[in-house]
Amino acid sequence: MTGTQRWNGRTATRLQDALRHSIEDFAQHLNVAPRTVARWHHDPDLVPRPMIQQLLDHALETATPEQRERFYADDEQTTSAVALSAALAVVLKGSDILLVRPRTPESASWQFPAGVVKPQSSPEAVAVRETLAETGIDCEVRGQLGSRIHPITGVYCVYLLCEYLAGEPENRDPFENINVRWVPTTQLTKFIPTDRIYPPVLDAIKEAS
């Protein structure tokens, strides 16, 4: 094998840097979701699944000599190709809120639908697009609830309050998620620990009740 003997988040993002790819470009190059690449930035010790390791092997084997030289130049160097930010959709339908359950083992709870925000994109557009792509739910942004550096992932997150328009929940991204469902807002903290919920989200739920 031309690539490393063992892939983890650290070596995967080093390959991304060697190829001079953004998170979106590297994800497209590997044919994986941008969130997968983002997780490697969040957790350098995360070991990808065997299928993804094969994709990384192929990406390294087909890299140019110059790109491979950059990859092997410094085995300890890990850099982020771009600063990562994400748009999170807080979608309300009456007394219910929309959640997704990520497939990654490090995810201990459900989450709000989310997507990576590229420099030329708006958080509002990303929130609506990714919610539809992940869950089959069409929604409309009512306003921003605020933003923060997420205490667990370290990603800059923008929270968008969204109103349900149409659709039934379905897991349209089974590669990334296990399940999608409406959850009563009164039970939200049973699905996401209270200390991980952005406080303005809880305030918005109370106002909508």
Side-chain angles (χ1 to χ4, degrees), residues 134-163:
E134 286 188 31
T135 72
I137 296 298
D138 191 15
C139 64
E140 180 179 48
V141 174
R142 289 304 187 188
Q144 287 196 14
L145 295 175
S147 59
R148 67 167 177 173
I149 301 297
H150 195 280
I152 304 298
T153 65
V155 175
Y156 177 75
C157 296
V158 180
Y159 293 78
L160 291 309
L161 180 63
C162 302
E163 180 181 350

Side-chain angles (χ1 to χ4, degrees), residues 192-203:
I192 305 177
T194 304
D195 60 353
R196 294 191 184 185
I197 302 175
Y198 186 43
V201 172
L202 297 175
D203 293 340

Side-chain angles (χ1 to χ4, degrees), residues 9 12-13 16 22-24 26-27 32-44 46 80 82 84-86 106 115-117 153-155 176:
T13 54
Q16 174 195 346
S22 67
I23 287 177
E24 290 280 346
F26 194 45
V32 300
R35 292 187 301 280
T36 299
V37 180
R39 291 189 185 104
W40 297 334
H41 286 269
H42 307 159
D43 186 357
L46 177 64
S80 295
V82 294
L84 180 66
S85 63
E106 71 273 14
V116 175
V117 181
T153 65
V155 175
E176 289 292 324

